[in-house]
Amino acid sequence: MSNYDNIKLEKGLYASGNFTKALESLDPNENYKGTSLEGLDAYQRQLKRFGIRVGGSGSDVVDKFFKTSDSAVLFPEYVSRAVRQGLEQADILPGIVASTTVIDGMDYRSISSVPTEDEKELKVVGEGAFIPETSIRTKENLVKLRKRGRSLVASYEAIRFQRLDLFTVTLRQIGAYIARTLLKDAIDVLENGDGNGNAAEVVNCAASGTLAYSDLVNFWNGFDPYELNTVIAEPAVMAKLLGMEQFRDAAAGLNFHGKGDMITPLGAKLLKSPAVSSGTLIGIDKSAALEMVKAGEIMTEYDKLIDRQLERAVISCTAGFAKIFDGASKVLSV
């Protein structure tokens, strides 16, 4: 039975850290199967309830959220979603993270397995013989979680008549800032390790300052038993890669010439980031190199956004990174 228009909205719904999930416990999505509201989540149904349009040329003004005490409770979730959109649009982390772990606290210790060359082989085991073991241990040091965010400063009087569509653009930009900072943290861990003595192996090009195709081949060849499937390069090194003869070949670079999709002659996905150390590129096995640890999702100071109607509120994300298998990431120094 649908009851989305009778729910009492209050700040306590944010206490769990997931407003939409808390709201859906009061207004389950399954109640709307086969209706015109199917496909909307509990938050979107509340926007419909109060007639709030957050996007498009006909979007409402910010003041629409604060017409009633109930609708005002929806405003922090609107802010969080807009910031999350910006984070996702500017985020290349999904292209380098193998696993994401969400925790409730601030302390997290990842696991580690460092097999020897002999242990990497699955040898024939005779009947009744001892089966070789692979040891998995917790790491000595905790994952460093950092809180990244921005303070949103504005008086309610200054923005109350601003269209939500335009305001969303500003919030998305905050999300983009957070995404770039998280990427910088991730790249730092890939290069320098997570504090457990696991900095990436550095491979030097044959001739200092010169990147040759043979350097890439040797770099790729050194990943066994892992797979070099993702390359992250700083802008200057990216330019050298794209200027290589193998990239100018129409057959080898068909996707790049035809569609602008950047690929390497070795078939790895190519990403660019100024966070990578100057004169280097990082090669990883995306499926085995990096773990992202998050203490919840995007957080907003909902009390200030509701009671004080903006004024100053912090939008933040707390996350850290840990290396999974040491050999799954290496650095090529040009």
Side-chain angles (χ1 to χ4, degrees), residues 130-164:
F130 174 76
I131 298 177
E133 298 175 341
T134 295
S135 298
I136 299 177
R137 305 178 181 88
T138 55
K139 292 184 178 180
E140 181 179 352
N141 294 318
L142 296 170
V143 174
K144 295 179 181 178
L145 298 180
R146 296 182 173 94
K147 185 175 182 179
R148 304 293 194 186
R150 286 269 173 167
S151 181
L152 182 62
V153 181
S155 68
Y156 176 57
E157 289 73 18
I159 66 165
R160 62 180 298 189
F161 297 119
Q162 291 297 321
R163 294 286 173 183
L164 289 167

PDB file of all heavy atoms in Angstrom, residues 130-164:
ATOM      1  N   PHE A 130      50.567 -33.529   1.217  1.00  0.00           N
ATOM      2  CA  PHE A 130      50.269 -32.211   1.776  1.00  0.00           C
ATOM      3  C   PHE A 130      49.914 -31.230   0.664  1.00  0.00           C
ATOM      4  O   PHE A 130      50.585 -31.167  -0.363  1.00  0.00           O
ATOM      5  CB  PHE A 130      51.495 -31.707   2.545  1.00  0.00           C
ATOM      6  CG  PHE A 130      51.346 -30.294   3.042  1.00  0.00           C
ATOM      7  CD1 PHE A 130      50.560 -30.010   4.157  1.00  0.00           C
ATOM      8  CD2 PHE A 130      51.992 -29.242   2.402  1.00  0.00           C
ATOM      9  CE1 PHE A 130      50.434 -28.712   4.617  1.00  0.00           C
ATOM     10  CE2 PHE A 130      51.863 -27.945   2.866  1.00  0.00           C
ATOM     11  CZ  PHE A 130      51.085 -27.681   3.977  1.00  0.00           C
ATOM     12  N   ILE A 131      48.827 -30.494   0.846  1.00  0.00           N
ATOM     13  CA  ILE A 131      48.408 -29.498  -0.133  1.00  0.00           C
ATOM     14  C   ILE A 131      49.073 -28.164   0.210  1.00  0.00           C
ATOM     15  O   ILE A 131      48.982 -27.699   1.352  1.00  0.00           O
ATOM     16  CB  ILE A 131      46.878 -29.331  -0.131  1.00  0.00           C
ATOM     17  CG1 ILE A 131      46.214 -30.652  -0.533  1.00  0.00           C
ATOM     18  CG2 ILE A 131      46.448 -28.218  -1.074  1.00  0.00           C
ATOM     19  CD1 ILE A 131      44.701 -30.615  -0.504  1.00  0.00           C
ATOM     20  N   PRO A 132      49.763 -27.542  -0.744  1.00  0.00           N
ATOM     21  CA  PRO A 132      50.442 -26.265  -0.484  1.00  0.00           C
ATOM     22  C   PRO A 132      49.473 -25.207   0.039  1.00  0.00           C
ATOM     23  O   PRO A 132      48.294 -25.181  -0.327  1.00  0.00           O
ATOM     24  CB  PRO A 132      51.009 -25.879  -1.856  1.00  0.00           C
ATOM     25  CG  PRO A 132      51.134 -27.177  -2.580  1.00  0.00           C
ATOM     26  CD  PRO A 132      49.983 -28.018  -2.116  1.00  0.00           C
ATOM     27  N   GLU A 133      49.978 -24.321   0.896  1.00  0.00           N
ATOM     28  CA  GLU A 133      49.149 -23.302   1.534  1.00  0.00           C
ATOM     29  C   GLU A 133      49.474 -21.907   1.001  1.00  0.00           C
ATOM     30  O   GLU A 133      50.602 -21.635   0.598  1.00  0.00           O
ATOM     31  CB  GLU A 133      49.373 -23.310   3.053  1.00  0.00           C
ATOM     32  CG  GLU A 133      49.000 -24.614   3.735  1.00  0.00           C
ATOM     33  CD  GLU A 133      49.349 -24.598   5.215  1.00  0.00           C
ATOM     34  OE1 GLU A 133      50.188 -23.748   5.601  1.00  0.00           O
ATOM     35  OE2 GLU A 133      48.788 -25.409   5.958  1.00  0.00           O
ATOM     36  N   THR A 134      48.468 -21.053   1.019  1.00  0.00           N
ATOM     37  CA  THR A 134      48.646 -19.625   0.759  1.00  0.00           C
ATOM     38  C   THR A 134      48.219 -18.871   2.012  1.00  0.00           C
ATOM     39  O   THR A 134      47.086 -19.029   2.469  1.00  0.00           O
ATOM     40  CB  THR A 134      47.813 -19.162  -0.446  1.00  0.00           C
ATOM     41  OG1 THR A 134      48.287 -19.804  -1.626  1.00  0.00           O
ATOM     42  CG2 THR A 134      47.919 -17.650  -0.625  1.00  0.00           C
ATOM     43  N   SER A 135      49.122 -18.085   2.562  1.00  0.00           N
ATOM     44  CA  SER A 135      48.836 -17.381   3.817  1.00  0.00           C
ATOM     45  C   SER A 135      48.222 -16.010   3.545  1.00  0.00           C
ATOM     46  O   SER A 135      48.707 -15.256   2.707  1.00  0.00           O
ATOM     47  CB  SER A 135      50.126 -17.206   4.634  1.00  0.00           C
ATOM     48  OG  SER A 135      50.660 -18.465   4.980  1.00  0.00           O
ATOM     49  N   ILE A 136      47.144 -15.704   4.261  1.00  0.00           N
ATOM     50  CA  ILE A 136      46.505 -14.388   4.195  1.00  0.00           C
ATOM     51  C   ILE A 136      46.538 -13.795   5.602  1.00  0.00           C
ATOM     52  O   ILE A 136      46.033 -14.393   6.549  1.00  0.00           O
ATOM     53  CB  ILE A 136      45.060 -14.479   3.674  1.00  0.00           C
ATOM     54  CG1 ILE A 136      45.040 -15.067   2.257  1.00  0.00           C
ATOM     55  CG2 ILE A 136      44.400 -13.104   3.692  1.00  0.00           C
ATOM     56  CD1 ILE A 136      43.652 -15.262   1.700  1.00  0.00           C
ATOM     57  N   ARG A 137      47.125 -12.634   5.747  1.00  0.00           N
ATOM     58  CA  ARG A 137      47.283 -12.001   7.061  1.00  0.00           C
ATOM     59  C   ARG A 137      46.741 -10.572   7.022  1.00  0.00           C
ATOM     60  O   ARG A 137      46.646  -9.959   5.958  1.00  0.00           O
ATOM     61  CB  ARG A 137      48.761 -11.961   7.461  1.00  0.00           C
ATOM     62  CG  ARG A 137      49.462 -13.320   7.442  1.00  0.00           C
ATOM     63  CD  ARG A 137      50.923 -13.159   7.808  1.00  0.00           C
ATOM     64  NE  ARG A 137      51.639 -14.430   7.779  1.00  0.00           N
ATOM     65  CZ  ARG A 137      52.212 -14.929   6.687  1.00  0.00           C
ATOM     66  NH1 ARG A 137      52.141 -14.262   5.550  1.00  0.00           N
ATOM     67  NH2 ARG A 137      52.849 -16.084   6.740  1.00  0.00           N
ATOM     68  N   THR A 138      46.409 -10.072   8.191  1.00  0.00           N
ATOM     69  CA  THR A 138      46.051  -8.655   8.274  1.00  0.00           C
ATOM     70  C   THR A 138      47.332  -7.836   8.248  1.00  0.00           C
ATOM     71  O   THR A 138      48.375  -8.255   8.762  1.00  0.00           O
ATOM     72  CB  THR A 138      45.274  -8.348   9.568  1.00  0.00           C
ATOM     73  OG1 THR A 138      46.035  -8.778  10.698  1.00  0.00           O
ATOM     74  CG2 THR A 138      43.926  -9.035   9.571  1.00  0.00           C
ATOM     75  N   LYS A 139      47.261  -6.648   7.648  1.00  0.00           N
ATOM     76  CA  LYS A 139      48.445  -5.798   7.549  1.00  0.00           C
ATOM     77  C   LYS A 139      48.785  -5.182   8.899  1.00  0.00           C
ATOM     78  O   LYS A 139      47.922  -5.028   9.767  1.00  0.00           O
ATOM     79  CB  LYS A 139      48.210  -4.701   6.505  1.00  0.00           C
ATOM     80  CG  LYS A 139      48.115  -5.229   5.087  1.00  0.00           C
ATOM     81  CD  LYS A 139      47.978  -4.095   4.092  1.00  0.00           C
ATOM     82  CE  LYS A 139      47.927  -4.620   2.661  1.00  0.00           C
ATOM     83  NZ  LYS A 139      47.784  -3.535   1.673  1.00  0.00           N
ATOM     84  N   GLU A 140      50.037  -4.820   9.037  1.00  0.00           N
ATOM     85  CA  GLU A 140      50.509  -4.280  10.304  1.00  0.00           C
ATOM     86  C   GLU A 140      49.892  -2.923  10.610  1.00  0.00           C
ATOM     87  O   GLU A 140      49.505  -2.636  11.738  1.00  0.00           O
ATOM     88  CB  GLU A 140      52.038  -4.148  10.264  1.00  0.00           C
ATOM     89  CG  GLU A 140      52.641  -3.603  11.549  1.00  0.00           C
ATOM     90  CD  GLU A 140      54.152  -3.499  11.481  1.00  0.00           C
ATOM     91  OE1 GLU A 140      54.739  -4.001  10.498  1.00  0.00           O
ATOM     92  OE2 GLU A 140      54.738  -2.909  12.403  1.00  0.00           O
ATOM     93  N   ASN A 141      49.782  -2.060   9.594  1.00  0.00           N
ATOM     94  CA  ASN A 141      49.294  -0.689   9.817  1.00  0.00           C
ATOM     95  C   ASN A 141      47.874  -0.513   9.298  1.00  0.00           C
ATOM     96  O   ASN A 141      47.464  -1.133   8.304  1.00  0.00           O
ATOM     97  CB  ASN A 141      50.212   0.319   9.127  1.00  0.00           C
ATOM     98  CG  ASN A 141      51.597   0.337   9.745  1.00  0.00           C
ATOM     99  OD1 ASN A 141      51.736   0.283  10.961  1.00  0.00           O
ATOM    100  ND2 ASN A 141      52.628   0.395   8.916  1.00  0.00           N
ATOM    101  N   LEU A 142      47.132   0.348   9.975  1.00  0.00           N
ATOM    102  CA  LEU A 142      45.763   0.662   9.572  1.00  0.00           C
ATOM    103  C   LEU A 142      45.750   1.450   8.268  1.00  0.00           C
ATOM    104  O   LEU A 142      46.712   2.147   7.931  1.00  0.00           O
ATOM    105  CB  LEU A 142      45.060   1.484  10.654  1.00  0.00           C
ATOM    106  CG  LEU A 142      44.844   0.823  12.019  1.00  0.00           C
ATOM    107  CD1 LEU A 142      44.364   1.855  13.019  1.00  0.00           C
ATOM    108  CD2 LEU A 142      43.857  -0.330  11.918  1.00  0.00           C
ATOM    109  N   VAL A 143      44.644   1.351   7.539  1.00  0.00           N
ATOM    110  CA  VAL A 143      44.452   2.183   6.353  1.00  0.00           C
ATOM    111  C   VAL A 143      44.224   3.623   6.810  1.00  0.00           C
ATOM    112  O   VAL A 143      43.440   3.888   7.734  1.00  0.00           O
ATOM    113  CB  VAL A 143      43.234   1.702   5.534  1.00  0.00           C
ATOM    114  CG1 VAL A 143      42.952   2.653   4.377  1.00  0.00           C
ATOM    115  CG2 VAL A 143      43.468   0.292   5.007  1.00  0.00           C
ATOM    116  N   LYS A 144      44.927   4.549   6.191  1.00  0.00           N
ATOM    117  CA  LYS A 144      44.780   5.964   6.549  1.00  0.00           C
ATOM    118  C   LYS A 144      43.534   6.533   5.884  1.00  0.00           C
ATOM    119  O   LYS A 144      43.469   6.663   4.662  1.00  0.00           O
ATOM    120  CB  LYS A 144      46.014   6.747   6.116  1.00  0.00           C
ATOM    121  CG  LYS A 144      47.290   6.349   6.847  1.00  0.00           C
ATOM    122  CD  LYS A 144      48.482   7.158   6.352  1.00  0.00           C
ATOM    123  CE  LYS A 144      49.756   6.739   7.078  1.00  0.00           C
ATOM    124  NZ  LYS A 144      50.946   7.481   6.569  1.00  0.00           N
ATOM    125  N   LEU A 145      42.552   6.856   6.695  1.00  0.00           N
ATOM    126  CA  LEU A 145      41.318   7.455   6.179  1.00  0.00           C
ATOM    127  C   LEU A 145      41.414   8.969   6.310  1.00  0.00           C
ATOM    128  O   LEU A 145      41.762   9.491   7.372  1.00  0.00           O
ATOM    129  CB  LEU A 145      40.101   6.936   6.949  1.00  0.00           C
ATOM    130  CG  LEU A 145      39.826   5.435   6.867  1.00  0.00           C
ATOM    131  CD1 LEU A 145      38.600   5.074   7.675  1.00  0.00           C
ATOM    132  CD2 LEU A 145      39.640   4.995   5.423  1.00  0.00           C
ATOM    133  N   ARG A 146      41.122   9.650   5.224  1.00  0.00           N
ATOM    134  CA  ARG A 146      41.178  11.110   5.222  1.00  0.00           C
ATOM    135  C   ARG A 146      39.805  11.683   4.909  1.00  0.00           C
ATOM    136  O   ARG A 146      39.109  11.193   4.023  1.00  0.00           O
ATOM    137  CB  ARG A 146      42.184  11.616   4.194  1.00  0.00           C
ATOM    138  CG  ARG A 146      43.634  11.214   4.481  1.00  0.00           C
ATOM    139  CD  ARG A 146      44.554  11.802   3.430  1.00  0.00           C
ATOM    140  NE  ARG A 146      45.956  11.590   3.733  1.00  0.00           N
ATOM    141  CZ  ARG A 146      46.666  10.585   3.277  1.00  0.00           C
ATOM    142  NH1 ARG A 146      46.096   9.678   2.486  1.00  0.00           N
ATOM    143  NH2 ARG A 146      47.942  10.463   3.592  1.00  0.00           N
ATOM    144  N   LYS A 147      39.451  12.718   5.624  1.00  0.00           N
ATOM    145  CA  LYS A 147      38.187  13.408   5.368  1.00  0.00           C
ATOM    146  C   LYS A 147      38.443  14.518   4.372  1.00  0.00           C
ATOM    147  O   LYS A 147      39.243  15.420   4.625  1.00  0.00           O
ATOM    148  CB  LYS A 147      37.616  13.965   6.668  1.00  0.00           C
ATOM    149  CG  LYS A 147      36.237  14.610   6.516  1.00  0.00           C
ATOM    150  CD  LYS A 147      35.688  15.041   7.870  1.00  0.00           C
ATOM    151  CE  LYS A 147      34.290  15.648   7.744  1.00  0.00           C
ATOM    152  NZ  LYS A 147      33.728  16.044   9.053  1.00  0.00           N
ATOM    153  N   ARG A 148      37.779  14.437   3.228  1.00  0.00           N
ATOM    154  CA  ARG A 148      37.916  15.447   2.191  1.00  0.00           C
ATOM    155  C   ARG A 148      36.572  16.130   1.993  1.00  0.00           C
ATOM    156  O   ARG A 148      35.533  15.471   1.934  1.00  0.00           O
ATOM    157  CB  ARG A 148      38.342  14.808   0.870  1.00  0.00           C
ATOM    158  CG  ARG A 148      39.624  13.982   0.947  1.00  0.00           C
ATOM    159  CD  ARG A 148      40.827  14.857   1.215  1.00  0.00           C
ATOM    160  NE  ARG A 148      42.082  14.148   0.973  1.00  0.00           N
ATOM    161  CZ  ARG A 148      43.279  14.641   1.233  1.00  0.00           C
ATOM    162  NH1 ARG A 148      43.389  15.857   1.732  1.00  0.00           N
ATOM    163  NH2 ARG A 148      44.360  13.943   0.991  1.00  0.00           N
ATOM    164  N   GLY A 149      36.578  17.433   1.884  1.00  0.00           N
ATOM    165  CA  GLY A 149      35.305  18.101   1.691  1.00  0.00           C
ATOM    166  C   GLY A 149      35.438  19.578   1.396  1.00  0.00           C
ATOM    167  O   GLY A 149      36.537  20.113   1.253  1.00  0.00           O
ATOM    168  N   ARG A 150      34.301  20.210   1.308  1.00  0.00           N
ATOM    169  CA  ARG A 150      34.216  21.654   1.069  1.00  0.00           C
ATOM    170  C   ARG A 150      33.160  22.243   1.979  1.00  0.00           C
ATOM    171  O   ARG A 150      32.162  21.596   2.302  1.00  0.00           O
ATOM    172  CB  ARG A 150      33.826  21.920  -0.389  1.00  0.00           C
ATOM    173  CG  ARG A 150      34.940  21.684  -1.384  1.00  0.00           C
ATOM    174  CD  ARG A 150      35.735  22.941  -1.620  1.00  0.00           C
ATOM    175  NE  ARG A 150      36.908  22.711  -2.442  1.00  0.00           N
ATOM    176  CZ  ARG A 150      37.621  23.663  -2.997  1.00  0.00           C
ATOM    177  NH1 ARG A 150      37.273  24.916  -2.828  1.00  0.00           N
ATOM    178  NH2 ARG A 150      38.689  23.398  -3.712  1.00  0.00           N
ATOM    179  N   SER A 151      33.382  23.475   2.344  1.00  0.00           N
ATOM    180  CA  SER A 151      32.403  24.183   3.147  1.00  0.00           C
ATOM    181  C   SER A 151      31.532  25.021   2.216  1.00  0.00           C
ATOM    182  O   SER A 151      32.045  25.827   1.427  1.00  0.00           O
ATOM    183  CB  SER A 151      33.107  25.078   4.164  1.00  0.00           C
ATOM    184  OG  SER A 151      32.161  25.750   4.973  1.00  0.00           O
ATOM    185  N   LEU A 152      30.247  24.803   2.304  1.00  0.00           N
ATOM    186  CA  LEU A 152      29.287  25.548   1.481  1.00  0.00           C
ATOM    187  C   LEU A 152      28.832  26.772   2.276  1.00  0.00           C
ATOM    188  O   LEU A 152      28.200  26.649   3.318  1.00  0.00           O
ATOM    189  CB  LEU A 152      28.089  24.657   1.139  1.00  0.00           C
ATOM    190  CG  LEU A 152      27.005  25.245   0.250  1.00  0.00           C
ATOM    191  CD1 LEU A 152      27.564  25.598  -1.119  1.00  0.00           C
ATOM    192  CD2 LEU A 152      25.848  24.253   0.115  1.00  0.00           C
ATOM    193  N   VAL A 153      29.194  27.943   1.800  1.00  0.00           N
ATOM    194  CA  VAL A 153      28.905  29.184   2.518  1.00  0.00           C
ATOM    195  C   VAL A 153      27.958  30.041   1.681  1.00  0.00           C
ATOM    196  O   VAL A 153      28.280  30.433   0.558  1.00  0.00           O
ATOM    197  CB  VAL A 153      30.192  29.979   2.817  1.00  0.00           C
ATOM    198  CG1 VAL A 153      29.879  31.251   3.596  1.00  0.00           C
ATOM    199  CG2 VAL A 153      31.180  29.108   3.582  1.00  0.00           C
ATOM    200  N   ALA A 154      26.788  30.298   2.209  1.00  0.00           N
ATOM    201  CA  ALA A 154      25.818  31.155   1.505  1.00  0.00           C
ATOM    202  C   ALA A 154      24.682  31.482   2.459  1.00  0.00           C
ATOM    203  O   ALA A 154      24.286  30.652   3.269  1.00  0.00           O
ATOM    204  CB  ALA A 154      25.280  30.444   0.269  1.00  0.00           C
ATOM    205  N   SER A 155      24.166  32.668   2.364  1.00  0.00           N
ATOM    206  CA  SER A 155      22.991  33.009   3.160  1.00  0.00           C
ATOM    207  C   SER A 155      21.743  32.560   2.405  1.00  0.00           C
ATOM    208  O   SER A 155      21.719  32.537   1.173  1.00  0.00           O
ATOM    209  CB  SER A 155      22.932  34.520   3.409  1.00  0.00           C
ATOM    210  OG  SER A 155      22.684  35.205   2.193  1.00  0.00           O
ATOM    211  N   TYR A 156      20.736  32.199   3.151  1.00  0.00           N
ATOM    212  CA  TYR A 156      19.485  31.758   2.543  1.00  0.00           C
ATOM    213  C   TYR A 156      18.887  32.874   1.686  1.00  0.00           C
ATOM    214  O   TYR A 156      18.365  32.634   0.601  1.00  0.00           O
ATOM    215  CB  TYR A 156      18.518  31.353   3.650  1.00  0.00           C
ATOM    216  CG  TYR A 156      17.142  30.972   3.162  1.00  0.00           C
ATOM    217  CD1 TYR A 156      16.962  29.949   2.234  1.00  0.00           C
ATOM    218  CD2 TYR A 156      16.019  31.649   3.635  1.00  0.00           C
ATOM    219  CE1 TYR A 156      15.693  29.607   1.798  1.00  0.00           C
ATOM    220  CE2 TYR A 156      14.747  31.312   3.196  1.00  0.00           C
ATOM    221  CZ  TYR A 156      14.596  30.286   2.284  1.00  0.00           C
ATOM    222  OH  TYR A 156      13.341  29.937   1.841  1.00  0.00           O
ATOM    223  N   GLU A 157      19.024  34.086   2.158  1.00  0.00           N
ATOM    224  CA  GLU A 157      18.471  35.223   1.408  1.00  0.00           C
ATOM    225  C   GLU A 157      19.156  35.390   0.054  1.00  0.00           C
ATOM    226  O   GLU A 157      18.538  35.823  -0.921  1.00  0.00           O
ATOM    227  CB  GLU A 157      18.625  36.511   2.229  1.00  0.00           C
ATOM    228  CG  GLU A 157      17.721  36.613   3.444  1.00  0.00           C
ATOM    229  CD  GLU A 157      18.152  35.700   4.581  1.00  0.00           C
ATOM    230  OE1 GLU A 157      19.321  35.243   4.566  1.00  0.00           O
ATOM    231  OE2 GLU A 157      17.322  35.410   5.460  1.00  0.00           O
ATOM    232  N   ALA A 158      20.441  35.019  -0.013  1.00  0.00           N
ATOM    233  CA  ALA A 158      21.192  35.197  -1.258  1.00  0.00           C
ATOM    234  C   ALA A 158      20.819  34.184  -2.325  1.00  0.00           C
ATOM    235  O   ALA A 158      20.917  34.473  -3.517  1.00  0.00           O
ATOM    236  CB  ALA A 158      22.695  35.116  -0.965  1.00  0.00           C
ATOM    237  N   ILE A 159      20.382  32.997  -1.904  1.00  0.00           N
ATOM    238  CA  ILE A 159      20.144  31.946  -2.904  1.00  0.00           C
ATOM    239  C   ILE A 159      18.688  31.468  -2.972  1.00  0.00           C
ATOM    240  O   ILE A 159      18.365  30.635  -3.820  1.00  0.00           O
ATOM    241  CB  ILE A 159      21.037  30.715  -2.633  1.00  0.00           C
ATOM    242  CG1 ILE A 159      20.622  30.056  -1.319  1.00  0.00           C
ATOM    243  CG2 ILE A 159      22.506  31.080  -2.627  1.00  0.00           C
ATOM    244  CD1 ILE A 159      21.182  28.677  -1.155  1.00  0.00           C
ATOM    245  N   ARG A 160      17.822  31.974  -2.128  1.00  0.00           N
ATOM    246  CA  ARG A 160      16.465  31.431  -2.047  1.00  0.00           C
ATOM    247  C   ARG A 160      15.718  31.480  -3.374  1.00  0.00           C
ATOM    248  O   ARG A 160      14.883  30.632  -3.654  1.00  0.00           O
ATOM    249  CB  ARG A 160      15.667  32.152  -0.958  1.00  0.00           C
ATOM    250  CG  ARG A 160      15.467  33.636  -1.202  1.00  0.00           C
ATOM    251  CD  ARG A 160      14.658  34.285  -0.087  1.00  0.00           C
ATOM    252  NE  ARG A 160      13.314  33.712  -0.001  1.00  0.00           N
ATOM    253  CZ  ARG A 160      12.355  34.206   0.759  1.00  0.00           C
ATOM    254  NH1 ARG A 160      12.606  35.283   1.519  1.00  0.00           N
ATOM    255  NH2 ARG A 160      11.162  33.647   0.784  1.00  0.00           N
ATOM    256  N   PHE A 161      16.038  32.460  -4.217  1.00  0.00           N
ATOM    257  CA  PHE A 161      15.329  32.565  -5.483  1.00  0.00           C
ATOM    258  C   PHE A 161      16.143  32.044  -6.673  1.00  0.00           C
ATOM    259  O   PHE A 161      15.756  32.239  -7.827  1.00  0.00           O
ATOM    260  CB  PHE A 161      14.905  34.017  -5.719  1.00  0.00           C
ATOM    261  CG  PHE A 161      13.936  34.526  -4.692  1.00  0.00           C
ATOM    262  CD1 PHE A 161      14.262  35.615  -3.887  1.00  0.00           C
ATOM    263  CD2 PHE A 161      12.707  33.905  -4.517  1.00  0.00           C
ATOM    264  CE1 PHE A 161      13.376  36.087  -2.927  1.00  0.00           C
ATOM    265  CE2 PHE A 161      11.813  34.372  -3.556  1.00  0.00           C
ATOM    266  CZ  PHE A 161      12.149  35.455  -2.760  1.00  0.00           C
ATOM    267  N   GLN A 162      17.277  31.396  -6.377  1.00  0.00           N
ATOM    268  CA  GLN A 162      18.081  30.786  -7.445  1.00  0.00           C
ATOM    269  C   GLN A 162      17.434  29.479  -7.889  1.00  0.00           C
ATOM    270  O   GLN A 162      16.946  28.703  -7.080  1.00  0.00           O
ATOM    271  CB  GLN A 162      19.501  30.516  -6.958  1.00  0.00           C
ATOM    272  CG  GLN A 162      20.325  31.757  -6.712  1.00  0.00           C
ATOM    273  CD  GLN A 162      20.552  32.555  -7.988  1.00  0.00           C
ATOM    274  OE1 GLN A 162      20.757  31.986  -9.046  1.00  0.00           O
ATOM    275  NE2 GLN A 162      20.512  33.872  -7.867  1.00  0.00           N
ATOM    276  N   ARG A 163      17.450  29.236  -9.204  1.00  0.00           N
ATOM    277  CA  ARG A 163      16.905  28.003  -9.736  1.00  0.00           C
ATOM    278  C   ARG A 163      17.758  26.813  -9.306  1.00  0.00           C
ATOM    279  O   ARG A 163      18.985  26.875  -9.294  1.00  0.00           O
ATOM    280  CB  ARG A 163      16.835  28.059 -11.259  1.00  0.00           C
ATOM    281  CG  ARG A 163      15.856  29.095 -11.793  1.00  0.00           C
ATOM    282  CD  ARG A 163      14.427  28.644 -11.600  1.00  0.00           C
ATOM    283  NE  ARG A 163      13.476  29.705 -11.951  1.00  0.00           N
ATOM    284  CZ  ARG A 163      12.156  29.583 -11.822  1.00  0.00           C
ATOM    285  NH1 ARG A 163      11.652  28.454 -11.344  1.00  0.00           N
ATOM    286  NH2 ARG A 163      11.361  30.577 -12.147  1.00  0.00           N
ATOM    287  N   LEU A 164      17.102  25.730  -8.934  1.00  0.00           N
ATOM    288  CA  LEU A 164      17.809  24.534  -8.481  1.00  0.00           C
ATOM    289  C   LEU A 164      18.716  23.966  -9.561  1.00  0.00           C
ATOM    290  O   LEU A 164      19.769  23.398  -9.253  1.00  0.00           O
ATOM    291  CB  LEU A 164      16.797  23.476  -8.019  1.00  0.00           C
ATOM    292  CG  LEU A 164      16.070  23.795  -6.707  1.00  0.00           C
ATOM    293  CD1 LEU A 164      14.885  22.866  -6.508  1.00  0.00           C
ATOM    294  CD2 LEU A 164      17.026  23.692  -5.535  1.00  0.00           C
TER     295      LEU A 164
END
